[in-house]
């Protein structure tokens, strides 16, 4: 607003440090970065001026011009077609390297998300012009157009569009914040939390006059951390700054990256597209339905409106769709059928259309394409990565309902196979209490993480199995030098839970809690099988579960569901039957409170998700090995009555002498396979009579 513009010439004046002084200050900043263990950055409108986007309180800023009743005379760029600056891309690289831990921004221009900053490490305090959210269910949508309010300048943020989540139909709201309105709670809390943790806070291109945002760099300084301010004008926090730099942010960040021997990456326009189909095979002439969806590059669970028009060609039949949803219906006497698509973008970067090809076969399936385009280079076409299966745990609402169910098989042959391999590399190192998780680094692999062995046996904490080469390969995780003490690098960790959230990243394994030689933990780490990077995930401390081991973790949409486990208190084991959900979209824990009768507390149980039902099998409670089965309906958030099982029940073992659950008994393993309307769960557990014997049981419910 005009009344927030700088009122005096002294404050409005832009200053520049002499070259020798600037060089000395940048050296000081680089030294602080090298020593930092929790480095946080704070950005304002000044970092986007080199992209052609005007700031607010500079000599030609928006509020300055309004206060002086002047019109802009120079050229400016709409943020929707702006290219991220050197500062934006330097921030991305520092995050990729694990140097920068968190980013707080006052900007609504969307350039941080567009540049590649992970959504989970970014607080956009004042919202984003290109994201709208449902006021009923909270679901978010990314648009490649401005999310204007239906009534301009109104306090009602309604954009005129409605939520597509089935049964919701809530109003979609513009996410930007007006003066006097409360900031979004989660981004605000995470921003303050990281500011309190920070030992270095770098404020870039901000006047630091708007509260409560400006309180965050101040918080770091007041708690003893180093505050560095880079801005051409004076700020109210200059006296708190350890280093105060008067220079353009791009000049400073280029020099910083050069001294750190890091290259500022080239920016590419990135798009993610999912094609999915369903087909009716009952009819003589098989009708089919193909859906074309855009998906956010950073958060694959977020729908993205990136296409203005889609053309399809099937044989000699051509069709043109000019608005979402892009659904193509057809029918064919024989399958497969090839559909050729030409998808047109909104053209903000003069990007050309992209041509894709998709095969409709008799089985419902889907494929995801990752597209890259260099708007500043010489290339005139999109780079299209090979199609990959899309995330299975989440589907946008317009995807046919059959894709939200597991495919059924007409018949199934069950056989036991023993893989006989030659050579030591065909087998992993012997260990107990590790996790085995399916992940991919471009091929199909399994990640064996953590675990312990008796005595002083040294074993790699991470090994990967290449299912095509049929070999186990030790992996040495990499971490930032400030995180060299992480588990799975220098310390053993076992009894943890591991899960992959495919809609976020099919190569990233989330590791929850566990034991080492002394303590239990409730922390979260991520290991990326593709890059080898191991990082500690910074999450909200509110509602965080107790430290524990022997618990289970499953994934539903973009959440990790944790059940049960055990905690050692004063030498005695306390078993849990609580349920927690880690919401990865905002990195916040939530303690769930399902209705109904919960299972008894336990650890070392098995858990598997079938649809929206969490199936819990067996476990151990200190004196009994349990053989029961429980179902938690995560949609209605209720424990269902125990199902009547057919066939032989899992034998329970009661009245045991209390034993250390860390070494007894072994955890059962459950794998779901859908056969028509019956779900089979195979359970394999250690026979208590003989430690080397394994007794597989089969149970099923309809």
């Amino acid at each position: 607003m005009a009344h927030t513009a700088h009122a005096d010439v002294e404050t409005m004046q832009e200053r520049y440090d002499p070259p020798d002084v600037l060089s000395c200050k940048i050296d000081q900043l680089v030294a602080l970065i090298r020593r930092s263990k929790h480095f946080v950055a704070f950005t304002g409108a000044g970092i986007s001026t080199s992209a052609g986007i005007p700031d607010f309180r500079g000599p030609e800023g928006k509020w300055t011009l309004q206060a002086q009743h002047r019109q802009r005379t120079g050229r400016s760029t709409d943020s929707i077609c702006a290219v991220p600056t050197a500062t934006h891309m330097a921030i991305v690289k520092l995050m990729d390297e694990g140097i920068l831990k968190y980013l707080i921004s006052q900007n609504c221009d969307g350039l941080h998300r567009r540049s590649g900053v992970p959504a989970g490490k970014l607080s956009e305090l004042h919202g984003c012009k290109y994201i709208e959210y449902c006021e009923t269910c909270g679901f978010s949508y990314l648009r490649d157009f401005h999310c204007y309010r239906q009534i301009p300048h109104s306090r009602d943020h309604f954009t005129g569009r409605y939520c597509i989540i089935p049964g919701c139909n809530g109003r979609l709201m513009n996410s930007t914040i007006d003066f006097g309105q409360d900031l979004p709670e989660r981004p605000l809390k995470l921003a303050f939390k990281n500011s309190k943790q920070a030992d270095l806070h770098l404020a870039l291109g901000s006047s630091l006059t708007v509260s409560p945002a400006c309180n965050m760099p101040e918080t770091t300084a007041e708690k003893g951390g180093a505050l560095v301010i880079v801005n051409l004008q004076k700020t109210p926090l200059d006296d708190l700054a350890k280093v105060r730099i008067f220079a353009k942010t791009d000049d400073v960040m280029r020099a910083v990256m050069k001294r750190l021997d890091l290259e500022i990456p080239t920016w590419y326009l990135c798009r993610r597209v999912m094609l999915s189909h369903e087909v009716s095979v009952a009819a003589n002439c098989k009708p089919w339905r193909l859906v074309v969806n855009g998906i956010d590059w950073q958060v694959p669970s977020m729908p993205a409106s990136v296409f203005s028009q889609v053309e399809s060609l099937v044989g000699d039949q051509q069709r043109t769709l000019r608005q979402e949803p892009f659904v193509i219906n057809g029918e064919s006497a024989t399958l497969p059928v090839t559909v050729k698509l030409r998808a047109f973008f909104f053209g903000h970067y003069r990007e050309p259309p992209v041509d894709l090809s998709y095969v409709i076969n008799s089985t419902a399936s889907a494929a995801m394409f990752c597209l890259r385009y260099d708007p500043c280079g010489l290339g005139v076409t999109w780079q299209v990565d090979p199609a990959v299966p899309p995330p299975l745990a989440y589907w946008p609402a317009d995807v046919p309902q059959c894709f939200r169910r597991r495919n059924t098989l007409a018949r199934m042959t069950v056989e036991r196979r023993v893989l006989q391999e030659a050579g030591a590399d065909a087998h992993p190192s012997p260990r107990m209490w590790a996790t085995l998780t399916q992940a991919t680094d471009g091929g199909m692999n399994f990640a064996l993480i953590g675990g312990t062995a008796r005595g002083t046996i040294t074993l790699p904490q991470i090994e990967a199995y290449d299912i095509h080469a049929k070999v186990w390969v030790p992996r040495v995780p990499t971490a930032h030098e400030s995180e060299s003490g992480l588990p799975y690098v220098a310390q053993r960790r076992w009894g943890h839970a591991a899960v992959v959230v495919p809609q976020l990243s099919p190569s990233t394994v989330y590791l929850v809690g566990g034991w080492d030689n002394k303590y239990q933990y409730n922390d979260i780490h991520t290991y990326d099988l593709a890059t080898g990077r191991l990082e500690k995930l910074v999450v909200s401390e509110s509602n965080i579960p107790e430290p524990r081991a022997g618990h289970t973790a499953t994934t539903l949409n973009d959440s990790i569901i944790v059940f049960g486990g055990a905690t050692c208190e004063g030498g005695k084991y306390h078993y849990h039957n609580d349920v927690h959900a880690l919401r990865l979209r905002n990195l916040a824990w939530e303690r769930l409170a399902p209705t109904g009768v919960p299972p008894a507390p336990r650890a070392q149980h098995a858990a598997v998700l079938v649809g929206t039902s969490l199936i819990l099998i067996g476990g151990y409670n200190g004196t009994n090995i349990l053989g029961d089965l429980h179902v938690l309906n995560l949609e209605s958030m209720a424990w269902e009555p125990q199902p009547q099982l057919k066939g032989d029940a899992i034998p329970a073992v009661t009245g045991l002498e209390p034993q250390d659950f860390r070494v007894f008994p072994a955890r059962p393993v459950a794998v779901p396979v859908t056969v028509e309307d019956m779900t089979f769960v195979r359970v394999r557990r250690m026979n208590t009579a003989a430690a080397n014997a394994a007794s597989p049981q089969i149970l099923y419910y309809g």
Side-chain angles (χ1 to χ4, degrees):
M1 294 295 184
H3 69 274
T4 69
H6 293 315
D8 59 278
V9 176
E10 171 71 13
T11 309
M12 191 181 300
Q13 180 184 352
E14 293 185 340
R15 295 168 170 80
Y16 291 87
D17 286 325
D20 56 336
V21 175
L22 176 60
S23 180
C24 181
K25 290 181 177 180
I26 291 174
D27 288 339
Q28 291 178 270
L29 171 57
V30 170
L32 290 170
I33 292 174
R34 292 188 189 278
R35 292 197 300 266
S36 174
K37 294 185 177 180
H38 198 88
F39 172 24
V40 172
F42 181 96
T43 62
I47 74 164
S48 298
T49 54
S50 60
I53 303 173
D55 60 15
F56 293 97
R57 295 171 185 84
E60 298 295 319
K62 182 177 180 179
W63 305 146
T64 302
L65 295 179
Q66 287 186 12
Q68 297 176 356
H69 305 288
R70 291 193 292 123
Q71 296 294 322
R72 187 175 308 283
T73 56
R75 296 181 60 184
S76 62
T77 301
D78 191 324
S79 59
I80 202 166
C81 55
V83 173
T85 67
T87 300
H88 287 98
M89 299 312 297
I91 287 171
V92 171
K93 182 64 174 177
L94 290 171
M95 280 201 159
D96 288 345
E97 293 295 321
I99 298 172
L100 180 63
K101 304 302 183 186
Y102 202 78
L103 175 63
I104 305 165
S105 183
Q106 298 171 287
N107 298 341
C108 304
D109 54 29
L111 287 183
H112 281 308
R113 290 282 296 272
R114 214 175 305 164
S115 67
V117 172
K121 296 183 179 182
L122 169 66
S123 283
E124 291 180 302
L125 297 178
H126 298 162
C128 178
K129 295 179 182 179
Y130 310 108
I131 292 178
E132 54 187 351
Y133 66 94
C134 175
E135 68 173 347
T136 301
C137 71
F139 198 73
S140 298
Y141 301 80
L142 179 68
R143 310 298 191 189
D144 203 17
F145 48 80
H146 288 282
C147 297
Y148 291 121
R149 302 173 196 184
Q150 191 174 45
I151 303 175
H153 311 297
S154 169
R155 286 278 176 166
D156 185 356
H157 289 238
F158 179 46
T159 63
R161 289 176 288 273
Y162 293 88
C163 185
I164 64 173
I165 298 298
C168 180
N169 201 40
R171 299 195 312 164
L172 296 186
M173 313 298 283
N174 162 286
S175 65
T176 56
I177 301 299
D178 297 330
F179 277 101
Q181 287 188 320
D182 292 336
L183 271 59
E185 182 180 358
R186 290 299 181 188
L188 184 63
K189 284 186 176 180
L190 288 172
F192 269 118
K193 177 184 177 182
N194 280 275
S195 297
K196 292 175 183 177
Q197 290 179 306
D199 53 11
L200 173 60
H201 206 129
L202 175 60
L204 295 164
S206 173
S207 63
L208 299 176
T209 58
V210 178
S211 177
C214 66
N215 299 335
M216 295 167 190
E218 185 178 19
T219 297
T220 299
E222 290 178 344
K223 288 189 169 291
L227 172 60
V228 179
I229 300 174
V230 182
N231 198 56
L232 291 174
Q233 298 171 319
K234 290 184 176 181
T235 79
L237 301 185
D238 284 357
D239 290 341
L240 295 177
K242 189 176 185 67
V243 182
R244 180 57 173 95
I245 301 175
F246 291 95
K248 293 182 178 180
T249 59
D250 284 352
D251 294 339
V252 172
M253 293 310 295
R254 287 192 185 100
V256 166
M257 299 299 281
K258 186 175 182 179
R259 285 165 169 79
L260 291 174
D261 198 25
L262 295 174
E263 184 177 350
I264 297 178
T266 300
W267 177 70
Y268 293 92
L269 179 64
C270 299
R271 297 287 185 242
R272 197 189 298 264
V273 184
M274 187 170 75
L275 307 179
S276 53
H277 82 275
E278 64 177 350
V279 63
S280 173
V281 296
N284 292 329
C285 192
K286 302 175 179 60
W288 50 263
R289 182 173 184 259
L290 174 65
V291 181
V292 182
N293 280 304
I295 303 174
D296 179 34
W297 186 267
Q298 289 292 332
V299 185
S301 61
M302 183 186 293
S305 299
V306 297
F307 297 126
S308 62
Q309 177 176 307
V310 173
E311 295 178 354
S312 67
L313 181 64
V314 183
D316 57 356
Q317 295 184 359
Q318 184 172 348
R319 301 174 189 173
T320 301
L321 303 173
R322 291 186 170 84
Q323 64 181 15
E324 293 182 300
F326 297 113
V327 180
I328 303 160
N329 294 295
E331 58 181 31
S332 303
T334 59
L335 296 176
V337 169
T338 298
V339 181
K340 295 183 178 180
L341 299 168
R342 172 163 290 182
F344 293 82
F345 301 89
F346 287 92
H348 304 306
Y349 297 96
R350 298 184 180 179
E351 64 270 31
V354 64
D355 292 330
L356 302 172
S357 182
Y358 184 82
V359 177
I360 305 284
N361 50 42
S362 58
T363 302
S365 62
M368 186 166 62
F369 297 85
C370 296
L371 317 176
R372 302 172 196 268
Y373 176 72
D374 183 2
C376 303
L378 299 177
V380 294
T381 60
W382 288 86
Q383 174 188 334
V384 182
D385 292 344
V388 297
L392 295 178
Y394 170 81
W395 299 95
D398 191 55
V399 174
Q401 190 69 27
C402 68
F403 295 139
R404 303 189 199 119
R405 304 192 301 263
R406 295 179 180 269
N407 292 331
T408 57
L409 306 176
R411 62 182 181 276
M412 173 180 166
T413 301
V414 180
E415 60 178 337
R416 183 184 179 193
R417 295 195 303 163
V418 178
L419 298 178
Q420 295 181 345
E421 310 287 354
D425 59 354
H427 307 283
S429 303
R431 66 185 72 204
M432 302 182 293
W433 318 126
T435 55
L436 182 65
T437 310
Q438 183 175 335
T440 177
D441 61 354
M444 295 302 294
N445 290 276
F446 291 88
L448 182 68
I449 299 180
T452 186
R454 293 201 179 272
T456 59
I457 297 175
T458 301
L459 70 160
Q461 278 286 282
I462 300 180
E463 294 184 78
Y465 181 70
D466 189 320
I467 199 169
H468 300 296
K470 298 181 180 178
V471 295
W472 285 95
V473 181
R475 294 289 185 92
V476 179
T478 59
H480 187 253
E481 59 183 12
S482 64
E483 297 180 328
S484 57
L486 291 180
Y488 317 107
V489 178
Q491 305 171 7
R492 291 184 183 181
R493 181 73 70 91
W494 63 87
H496 55 283
V499 66
V500 172
V501 185
Q503 69 268 32
L504 297 184
S505 170
S507 66
T508 300
V509 184
Y510 289 81
L511 304 164
V512 185
W515 288 87
D516 60 16
N517 290 323
K518 295 182 179 180
Y519 307 106
Q520 304 110 349
Y521 297 89
N522 57 0
D523 51 6
I524 309 287
H525 293 83
T526 60
Y527 174 69
D528 193 315
L529 195 64
T531 65
R533 172 72 68 179
L534 178 72
E535 293 183 282
K536 183 174 181 178
L537 202 62
V538 179
V539 301
S540 171
E541 295 181 357
S542 177
N543 297 317
I544 192 168
E546 290 182 58
R548 64 189 64 197
H551 50 288
T552 54
T554 52
T555 177
L556 177 65
N557 298 337
D558 60 354
S559 298
I560 294 175
I561 311 297
V562 174
F563 173 82
T567 302
C568 184
E569 298 175 344
K572 296 182 179 180
Y573 289 92
H574 170 65
Y575 293 84
H576 303 281
N577 63 351
D578 50 0
V579 188
H580 290 79
L582 176 61
R583 309 301 187 189
L584 294 173
R585 182 171 298 177
N586 54 14
L587 295 179
W589 281 104
E590 178 183 350
R591 177 158 185 165
L592 305 181
T595 59
V597 180
R602 65 194 63 205
Q604 292 300 93
H605 52 282
V608 65
L609 195 70
V610 180
T612 58
S613 294
L614 177 63
I615 315 297
L616 301 172
I617 305 164
Y620 179 64
N621 65 7
T623 57
N624 301 328
I625 297 178
L626 306 171
D628 51 358
L629 181 146
H630 297 264
V631 180
L632 173 59
N633 189 318
L634 293 170
E635 190 170 22
S636 62
M637 199 49 61
W639 289 105
E640 297 182 357
Q642 281 192 264
Q644 296 296 316
L645 304 179
K646 304 175 183 177
D648 296 332
I650 305 175
V653 181
T654 60
L656 299 175
E657 291 294 327
Q659 299 187 50
D660 185 345
F661 94 98
R662 290 181 295 171
V663 297
F664 177 87
R667 183 198 297 270
V669 177
V671 180
V673 182
T674 303
V675 184
E676 296 179 346
D677 293 327
M678 189 174 292
T679 298
F680 285 75
V681 182
R682 177 185 174 109
V683 178
R684 184 179 181 87
R685 88 144 114 236
M686 190 68 73
N687 187 324
T688 57
N692 295 323
S695 171
Q697 273 94 31
I698 300 291
L699 67 90
Y700 53 91
Y701 69 97

